[in-house]
Amino acid sequence: MSLLGREVFWPPADELTEVAEKIRARLGEWPAASTRWRICLTMPDAPGAQDLIVFTEPRSENFSVGEAAVIEAYGGRAVFNRADACYALEGEWSDNWLDALAAFLDCNFDPHDALVLAMAWRSGDEQKDDAWPTDFATFPRVADLPLAPESAFPSCPDALGLYPVLPAAEWVERVLDLDVCTAQLRRKTTDVADLKQEIERSVAAGRKHQAQLFINDHWREAIDAGAYGVHLGQEDVEVSDLNAIVRAGLRLGLSTHGYYEMLRALHFRPSYLALGAVFPTTTKVMPTKPQGLARLQRYVALLKGRVPLVAIGGIDGKVLPDVLSTGVGSAAVVRAVTEAPDTETAVSALRQTFASLNAEKNSEIGR
């Protein structure tokens, strides 16, 4: 876990490295960083792919940074650029934010998420036993976003419970018949007629059981069918008519894969956030590496009570108790239901895990 003895800053800066190590020591155990980033305070002679060049004032001239990534941080704004990716943040930061950035990079966070945490860091936090940033007021805002919808999306229960994500209306009907209250239709098809029929049939099943039935991606068809809600990915937000969705009274769930995307999603005032992928999953190609339980626990600590949260990605009956122990109010499952030898038995066991946890919470409250 030691940062000393390796090149963390360029030019070499022993004092910065020592402070970074003090901060890192208070952040707990994390997987070793997959990239050993070097934070460059001046332009290196030959910028490399593992260099993160920091400018704290406007550049006087344009020059090539090669394969290096760049952070420009001044005037209350910090922008991270790498290849074709750009992440812009606004807010305040402490004098030792660069030390904190080095520490969070060493915790194996991607640079844009490490930058969010570094901006949320406050001088003196390294004196705390648990120094992880959890005060939402210190976190930056994502900049350069389109306007949020005219009003917030309708609310949904804070704890959505067991949340199966299902491939067909037949599955939706079968699972809702087993007293599941929340489900999502993720129908992968280019057949317009099939899609319309599947969504209408699923929405009808949701109404029959008074369940929270979300439609993945296909927001126009979901509006036409009168669905309870829609679930969108990060890439869908700017190409979907969010005002049309909110005017139709549908709830909105948004996928997130880290701190930056969580802050970005909150700008649009959704009904819930999905946090993932917690574990490796084969149901879809993920844009980021698995988050793991430790990160999930940190996300919940920051956002619980602010917006309903759903854990998603590789969750089955074996890991569900550990997932729920983080305090998240819902867990989405896919293969744990659709590939189970016996659907009824699988759903019953998953629901029992939620019931047992709720019983434990109520028992603790009553003490």
Side-chain angles (χ1 to χ4, degrees):
M1 191 173 75
S2 176
L3 299 175
L4 300 176
R6 64 182 175 87
E7 195 172 59
V8 179
F9 293 96
W10 174 260
D14 291 343
E15 290 185 6
L16 292 179
T17 303
E18 288 175 7
V19 175
E21 183 164 75
K22 289 179 181 178
I23 295 172
R24 177 66 186 87
R26 297 290 188 177
L27 298 180
E29 296 293 332
W30 294 90
S34 54
T35 300
R36 291 297 183 94
W37 291 97
R38 181 176 68 162
I39 300 174
C40 301
L41 308 179
T42 62
M43 193 69 178
D45 293 335
Q50 295 185 341
D51 285 334
L52 182 52
I53 305 171
V54 178
F55 296 93
T56 55
E57 57 185 32
R59 302 190 217 182
S60 58
E61 58 182 303
N62 291 323
F63 43 81
S64 174
V65 297
E67 296 181 340
V70 172
I71 291 178
E72 297 181 83
Y74 45 83
R77 181 179 170 90
V79 180
F80 169 76
N81 281 286
R82 179 172 57 176
D84 296 329
C86 178
Y87 304 86
L89 296 162
E90 294 177 343
E92 300 177 354
W93 51 82
S94 64
D95 291 340
N96 61 351
W97 72 278
L98 283 171
D99 315 78
L101 177 65
F104 289 116
L105 288 172
D106 194 66
C107 293
N108 202 30
F109 280 85
D110 288 331
H112 57 283
D113 283 332
L115 179 60
V116 169
L117 290 164
M119 292 178 70
W121 176 267
R122 291 296 177 263
S123 297
D125 282 356
E126 71 274 10
Q127 304 301 323
K128 300 176 182 177
D129 290 337
D130 182 2
W132 204 267
T134 56
D135 182 358
F136 193 83
T138 70
F139 275 72
R141 300 173 301 281
V142 175
D144 303 338
L145 291 175
L147 292 176
E150 300 154 352
S151 60
F153 284 89
S155 62
C156 60
D158 187 58
L160 285 165
L162 177 64
Y163 187 166
V165 178
L166 306 163
E170 179 184 0
W171 272 105
V172 172
E173 293 166 343
R174 187 188 312 176
V175 168
L176 295 188
D177 280 343
L178 298 174
D179 295 328
V180 171
C181 297
T182 306
Q184 179 185 135
L185 175 68
R186 184 192 284 169
R187 185 67 172 174
K188 298 184 181 299
T189 180
T190 57
D191 186 327
V192 175
D194 171 81
L195 182 64
K196 181 176 184 293
Q197 179 180 345
E198 289 288 305
I199 289 177
E200 289 179 348
R201 186 173 161 186
S202 298
V203 169
R207 287 198 187 117
K208 173 185 174 182
H209 293 279
Q210 297 183 319
Q212 289 98 218
L213 192 282
F214 291 87
I215 304 299
N216 184 273
D217 286 349
H218 302 287
W219 58 271
R220 294 181 182 86
E221 293 81 0
I223 290 174
D224 291 342
Y228 178 84
V230 175
H231 182 92
L232 298 177
Q234 287 276 320
E235 67 282 0
D236 302 315
V237 171
E238 294 185 29
V239 297
S240 302
D241 190 340
L242 300 187
N243 279 309
I245 298 171
V246 76
R247 282 196 299 267
L250 274 65
R251 283 78 177 166
L252 175 68
L254 291 177
S255 296
T256 66
H257 311 89
Y259 281 103
Y260 183 91
E261 290 192 359
M262 289 188 292
L263 296 177
R264 183 177 185 270
L266 287 175
H267 166 78
F268 299 102
R269 296 182 287 179
S271 306
Y272 76 78
L273 294 186
L275 311 174
V278 181
F279 303 106
T281 176
T282 61
T283 59
K284 62 185 297 187
V285 177
M286 300 305 300
T288 58
K289 54 183 173 284
Q291 301 292 311
L293 289 170
R295 292 194 187 195
L296 177 62
Q297 188 170 23
R298 293 299 184 182
Y299 301 157
V300 172
L302 178 65
L303 296 178
K304 190 172 183 180
R306 186 170 295 274
V307 63
L309 302 171
V310 178
I312 188 170
I315 299 172
D316 58 21
K318 293 180 181 178
V319 299
L320 182 58
D322 294 329
V323 170
L324 297 182
S325 70
T326 66
V328 70
S330 177
V333 297
V334 184
R335 290 177 297 153
V337 170
T338 60
E339 296 184 10
D342 185 299
T343 303
E344 183 173 356
T345 299
V347 169
S348 177
L350 292 166
R351 291 184 67 239
Q352 183 57 46
T353 300
F354 276 91
S356 298
L357 181 68
N358 289 334
E360 289 179 13
K361 288 182 179 178
N362 293 333
S363 176
E364 291 175 0
I365 293 173
R367 290 173 187 170

